[in-house]
Amino acid sequence: MKFVFVIALFISVLTIQCDDMEILSSDYMAFENVRYVKNFPEIFSLDNAIEVDLETTRDIIGIKSFRIYDSLMICSTIDKTGDWIVLSLPEYNVSGKYFFRGAGPYEFIQTPSVEHKFFRKEGELYTYVYESQKGKVFTINLDKSIKNNKLDIHTYSESVPPFLFDFAVIDSVTFFCKEINKTETKQIRYLLKNGDRITPPHFEFLNRAAIKENEDFNIISTGARYNREKNMIIEMPVGLNYINMYSVDGSFARTICINNKMDNISAILNRTREDRLYTFADLQIFPNFWGVVYINEAQGIYWTERKIFSKIMLFKWDGEPLAELKLNDFITSFDIDFKTGYLYTLDIQSDKLYKYSIQNILKKIEY
């Protein structure tokens, strides 16, 4: 019996070691600390959608993405009257239109993202904007822009590399950067501090993930968000079934896998592009939790005839599951107006914007 027990124990340890070695290979963009999520403690079905028709009521064309901060909804659009359109909630009155395409000092080749964090400084609302074509970072004072009916914009840095895949301002001298390597087989994370490039050891866990040359690098592409108060970065892949969250200083690092097995990059590469899954579509961070849009549908079906309704998965800041919001529709992004208790969702394929009353849900999850 002792002999059998020792053999069983040896096999068990060997299995754990093999799993660790597998996770540490280039087939995984993950940390050693993996949390497998099969169920959520709270599940809510949302069927009280109210359509918000801004095209008809406010003559706003083509919303691509949006953010809500306090009582403002900041929309990134294809509208020729302004790439950014700022609305006051809950009436959706237009408070300002900003950014125009061009090659001028404060003009952009592409619509600037609204995904960077908005923050208050000395009582006024600011955000950073990264201009990927020129490698510049600007600060926007949104309150002054609205008050003066003119974009209040200033150059913050001209030393950031262009064409970054992800970017965040960590502090006054430090930037988080993620760029693709020359062979387009890896996406490399690093900190740019006082102009020096630094790669912390825990970044290397994610940097090792690789695909074959001439393959679709979106398999390992992510959307990253930085929470300054918690000094935490969250990365949401678009083609893998797990999410990574880690502190900048390396004191915390965790991979959150949906279901009981992590996607293997080599196995994904063996599928046709149509059969590869589109897993997550959007990531939003809030003071007490964060969330992602879960798609989990084959790309060939998703871009032709979608069949699986979207879900919003909410997590605590330690990576533990908080709640799942099940929708009877398809969405590509979301945000929450905490003042009125409304969840807003957008689907860029149908160009539909909806809102849901979730006041009771927010109370139950104790946001």
Side-chain angles (χ1 to χ4, degrees), residues 225-228 230-234 245-246 252 254 283-291 315-320 322:
R225 302 287 183 272
Y226 173 65
N227 184 312
R228 179 175 295 183
K230 300 183 182 298
N231 199 29
M232 190 81 70
I233 294 171
I234 298 178
M245 57 185 303
Y246 52 98
F252 178 88
R254 170 176 275 189
L283 164 65
Q284 293 289 5
I285 63 173
F286 308 105
N288 296 324
F289 61 87
W290 54 271
F315 297 86
K316 301 176 184 178
W317 275 104
D318 61 0
E320 290 300 306
L322 178 62

Side-chain angles (χ1 to χ4, degrees), residues 220-271:
I220 54 174
S221 288
T222 65
R225 302 287 183 272
Y226 173 65
N227 184 312
R228 179 175 295 183
E229 290 72 26
K230 300 183 182 298
N231 199 29
M232 190 81 70
I233 294 171
I234 298 178
E235 285 196 39
M236 174 207 72
V238 297
L240 301 170
N241 71 337
Y242 49 87
I243 305 156
N244 292 304
M245 57 185 303
Y246 52 98
S247 60
V248 174
D249 61 12
S251 59
F252 178 88
R254 170 176 275 189
T255 295
I256 301 163
C257 177
I258 306 303
N259 294 322
N260 56 7
K261 188 176 181 180
M262 291 198 301
D263 284 341
N264 180 294
I265 293 171
S266 290
I268 293 173
L269 293 174
N270 288 331
R271 303 174 194 162

Side-chain angles (χ1 to χ4, degrees), residues 350-366:
S350 64
D351 200 25
K352 296 293 185 181
L353 179 70
Y354 290 98
K355 68 177 183 179
Y356 301 80
S357 177
I358 61 166
Q359 290 176 333
N360 292 334
I361 294 174
L362 291 175
K363 290 178 182 178
K364 285 182 180 179
I365 63 177
E366 298 181 344

Side-chain angles (χ1 to χ4, degrees), residues 36-205:
Y36 294 92
V37 176
K38 301 176 186 177
N39 300 294
F40 284 79
E42 299 279 1
I43 299 177
F44 303 96
S45 295
L46 303 184
D47 54 9
N48 57 339
I50 302 171
E51 185 172 358
V52 182
D53 189 359
L54 295 177
E55 186 170 339
T56 301
T57 60
R58 296 295 183 267
D59 195 29
I60 297 173
I61 300 171
I63 297 177
K64 297 168 61 179
S65 61
F66 69 101
R67 281 294 314 274
I68 295 172
Y69 195 93
D70 288 345
S71 296
L72 296 176
M73 176 184 283
I74 304 99
C75 301
S76 171
T77 76
I78 59 171
D79 199 308
K80 293 182 179 179
T81 63
D83 283 347
W84 276 21
I85 298 180
V86 180
L87 306 172
S88 61
L89 298 175
E91 299 86 2
Y92 312 110
N93 293 325
V94 177
S95 297
K97 297 185 177 184
Y98 311 105
F99 291 112
F100 300 95
R101 308 284 180 87
Y106 294 122
E107 293 179 331
F108 285 59
I109 305 299
Q110 297 178 341
T111 303
S113 172
V114 295
E115 301 304 329
H116 298 300
K117 184 174 175 60
F118 289 79
F119 61 96
R120 289 209 172 271
K121 180 180 178 182
E122 297 177 352
E124 296 190 315
L125 184 60
Y126 287 83
T127 189
Y128 296 110
V129 172
Y130 169 62
E131 216 294 357
S132 64
Q133 305 287 325
K134 302 173 184 177
K136 293 183 178 181
V137 182
F138 302 97
T139 53
I140 310 296
N141 185 322
L142 205 55
D143 282 343
K144 278 189 178 179
S145 299
I146 294 171
K147 180 181 178 180
N148 300 326
N149 197 28
K150 180 182 178 182
L151 184 65
D152 189 274
I153 182 171
H154 301 278
T155 301
Y156 185 78
S157 175
E158 296 183 281
S159 59
V160 179
F163 308 114
L164 293 174
F165 275 46
D166 274 315
F167 165 83
V169 177
I170 304 300
D171 57 41
S172 60
V173 296
T174 310
F175 304 103
F176 167 78
C177 304
K178 183 160 73 71
E179 64 186 21
I180 198 164
N181 66 349
K182 292 181 179 180
T183 59
E184 297 188 348
T185 56
K186 291 187 174 185
Q187 294 191 23
I188 308 301
R189 299 148 187 82
Y190 58 91
L191 298 176
L192 195 67
K193 187 170 186 176
N194 289 316
D196 295 326
R197 180 168 166 163
I198 303 167
T199 306
H202 63 297
F203 281 28
E204 294 290 3
F205 278 86

